């Protein structure tokens, strides 16, 4: 198993750490804003499969339990790191906090690079002003995370340092080759797999996004799944702002868990960082293969939960409804009944009752996710599909308008993830929505496609007479 070294990015607030992480990743992963303290959780991203870069929150005095939790994460990142990057604003004189941060980093006996960020600005101070921090001039780099100045040289120095180093603490998610039946446990007669596109491949980890309202228990579940206190858990709403990630191994599979910010109703979102977080959450839905929609067992289910489910389905993603905080309620049967009523448009979505405090059914999420992923890659033979279509038409012929009635000729599957079917025929515009649901139900009777939407397109074929004229 290949191991990737960890590079920790530390420093005071507003030193440009998140901008530098985004520059390394070539995309916006961490939230960047002028407001200090934007980053609260450790944000980890893989850089070219060479190392893992961890962006930590800005170091502050632990004035309360919440701030102390942030500092614990930073300490953990330093202890786990193979290389430490200390970022400073080169336009400001180093103060006592900067000295203390540098002292703590050097005390770890790990290699430390000093990054003088914002060096493209005219107010940048000379290198001599930063010698008092105790970091060698040969390990000092002038960069600009905004323009990219010096970042290429910094990356080269990081790779050289890690190559010379001997320690590494992170396992790379490289899957082993398995036979087709083991890789596709839900294969059925008449169905074939789609291995080229499958999330089961070594290069494409199965991505599971935790979606829900604020304070529903996403970070607690994230920590339980990752078996690591990476996300901050707090009763304060809106704790998570960035999309946090952790990779785990499950039965030879690599699963990437995405912890997203809680989404409130659009009218209640604050301008600025909370709106950025909402966009990141929606982007996480698009990125994920499967979304776990978390619903709080202690609170009434809201229309926002239903709206989030609708966004997941519209994106064509797999879905698991996760009932959290089950340890805080006496009877879950009533809640499940209401859940079935609220989400009656998702009869195929499995419901998982969990408790992050007791660990109830937490790892069951992995099992469900892998099963759903297998069904999303099923390809049904055209002969099987047309047999289902013929039986459906005989059982319930489609209604029409006056003397015109839709004619369903044949059906083919054109895509997977999600499974997509195209129905060919004539006058299909007259098909009632209820008949379209009937066709979906008939397919699901033989191929349930648990936890995933299936999509349909209806294509009117040109009549033979019209084609002959041309």
């Amino acid at each position: 198993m290949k191991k990737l070294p960890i590079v920790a990015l530390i420093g005071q607030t507003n030193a440009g750490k998140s901008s530098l992480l985004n520059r390394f990743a070539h995309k916006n992963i961490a939230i960047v804003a002028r407001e200090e303290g934007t980053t609260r959780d450790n944000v980890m991203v893989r850089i070219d499969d060479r190392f893992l870069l961890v962006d930590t929150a800005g170091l502050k005095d632990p004035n309360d339990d919440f701030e102390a939790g942030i500092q614990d994460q930073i300490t953990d990142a330093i202890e786990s790191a193979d290389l430490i990057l200390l970022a400073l604003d080169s336009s400001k004189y180093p103060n006592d906090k900067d000295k203390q941060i540098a002292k703590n980093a050097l005390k770890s006996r790990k290699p430390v690079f000093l990054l003088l960020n914002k060096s493209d600005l005219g107010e940048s101070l000379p290198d001599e002003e930063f010698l008092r921090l105790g970091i060698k001039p040969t390990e000092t780099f002038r960069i600009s995370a905004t323009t990219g100045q010096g970042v290429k040289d910094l990356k080269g120095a990081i790779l050289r340092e890690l190559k010379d180093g001997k320690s590494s603490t992170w396992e790379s998610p490289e899957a082993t080759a398995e036979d087709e039946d083991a890789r596709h446990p839900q294969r059925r007669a008449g169905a074939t797999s789609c291995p080229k596109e499958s999330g089961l491949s070594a290069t494409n980890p199965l991505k599971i996004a935790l979606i829900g309202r604020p304070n529903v228990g996403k970070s607690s579940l994230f920590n339980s799944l990752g078996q690591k206190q990476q996300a901050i858990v707090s009763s304060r709403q809106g704790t998570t702002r960035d999309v946090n990630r952790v990779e785990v191994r499950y039965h030879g599979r690599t699963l990437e868990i995405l912890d997203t910010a809680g989404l409130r109703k659009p009218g209640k979102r604050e301008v600025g960082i909370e709106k950025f977080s909402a966009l990141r959450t929606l982007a996480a839905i698009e990125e994920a293969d499967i979304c776990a929609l978390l619903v709080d067992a202690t609170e009434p289910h809201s229309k926002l939960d239903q709206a989030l489910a609708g966004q997941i389905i519209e994106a064509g993603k797999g879905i698991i409804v996760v009932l959290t905080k089950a340890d805080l309620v006496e009877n879950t049967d009533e809640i499940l009944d209401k859940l079935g009523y609220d989400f009656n448009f998702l009869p195929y979505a499995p419901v998982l009752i969990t408790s992050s405090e007791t660990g109830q059914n937490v790892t069951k999420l992995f099992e469900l996710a892998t099963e759903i992923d297998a069904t999303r890659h099923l390809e049904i033979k055209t002969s099987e599909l047309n047999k289902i279509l013929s039986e459906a038409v005989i059982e319930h012929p489609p209604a029409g308008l006056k003397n015109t009635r839709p004619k369903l000729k044949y059906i083919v599957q054109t895509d997977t993830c999600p499974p997509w079917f195209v129905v060919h025929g004539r006058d299909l515009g007259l098909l009632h929505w209820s008949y379209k649901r009937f066709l979906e139900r008939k397919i699901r009777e033989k191929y349930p496609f648990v936890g995933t939407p299936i999509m349909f397109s209806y294509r009117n074929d040109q009549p033979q007479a019209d084609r002959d004229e041309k």
Side-chain angles (χ1 to χ4, degrees), residues 9 21 31 47 105 140 172 189 200 210 245 264 273 277 280 285 315 337 348 365 369 379 425:
L9 189 55
L21 180 134
I31 294 174
I47 306 299
T140 299
S172 174
L200 300 167
L210 307 182
R245 303 163 186 265
R264 296 194 292 177
I273 288 176
S277 299
R280 295 289 163 79
I285 293 176
D337 289 340
Y348 54 83
L365 182 66
E379 286 188 276

Side-chain angles (χ1 to χ4, degrees), residues 226-393:
Q227 296 181 343
K228 179 180 174 67
Q229 193 74 10
Q230 178 166 339
I232 300 169
V233 180
S234 170
S235 59
R236 190 181 306 179
Q237 290 191 1
T239 303
T240 301
R241 289 174 172 177
D242 292 304
V243 175
N244 305 315
R245 303 163 186 265
V246 66
E247 289 183 346
V248 298
R249 299 284 292 176
Y250 178 76
H251 291 182
R253 297 281 313 269
T254 298
L255 310 181
E256 184 177 358
I257 315 300
L258 285 66
D259 175 27
T260 64
L263 281 181
R264 296 194 292 177
K265 292 181 180 180
K268 294 186 177 181
R269 294 174 192 163
E270 297 177 4
V271 176
I273 288 176
E274 186 176 2
K275 190 156 288 188
F276 293 156
S277 299
L279 293 175
R280 295 289 163 79
T281 299
L282 297 178
I285 293 176
E286 293 293 333
E287 178 184 354
D289 300 298
I290 296 169
C291 295
L293 177 61
L294 276 61
V295 178
D296 193 335
T298 64
E299 295 183 3
H301 314 132
S302 69
K303 290 184 178 180
L304 181 57
D305 292 328
Q306 297 170 318
L308 289 173
Q311 289 178 337
I312 295 169
I313 299 309
E314 186 176 349
K317 307 301 180 178
I319 184 170
I320 304 170
V321 179
V322 180
L323 193 65
T324 63
K325 306 179 185 179
D327 56 306
L328 301 181
V329 296
E330 296 181 358
N331 186 1
T332 58
D333 291 339
E334 294 182 2
I335 299 174
L336 289 175
D337 289 340
K338 189 176 188 308
L339 202 64
Y341 177 79
D342 290 342
F343 294 94
N344 60 356
F345 58 96
L346 293 176
Y348 54 83
V351 178
L352 184 63
I353 302 174
T354 66
S355 169
S356 299
E357 289 294 323
T358 65
Q360 177 186 357
N361 288 335
V362 168
T363 55
K364 181 73 173 177
L365 182 66
F366 294 153
E367 180 182 340
L368 283 173
T370 53
E371 290 177 358
I372 292 172
D373 186 55
T375 65
R376 286 169 59 78
H377 288 89
L378 285 178
E379 286 188 276
I380 306 175
K381 290 181 178 179
T382 302
S383 58
E384 290 289 327
L385 286 172
N386 283 287
K387 182 180 178 181
I388 296 172
L389 180 64
S390 297
E391 293 173 351
V393 172

Side-chain angles (χ1 to χ4, degrees), residues 174-221:
E174 294 185 352
T176 58
E178 302 170 8
D179 63 71
E180 286 300 301
D181 290 336
R183 290 176 58 178
H184 298 272
Q186 296 194 12
R187 291 179 68 177
R188 302 176 176 88
T192 59
S193 64
C194 180
K196 289 184 179 180
E197 299 297 327
S198 174
L200 300 167
S201 65
T203 57
N204 297 316
L206 177 60
K207 296 187 178 183
I208 307 169
L210 307 182
I211 308 295
R213 290 177 287 148
N215 209 30
V216 77
K218 294 184 297 297
S219 294
S220 295
L221 180 59

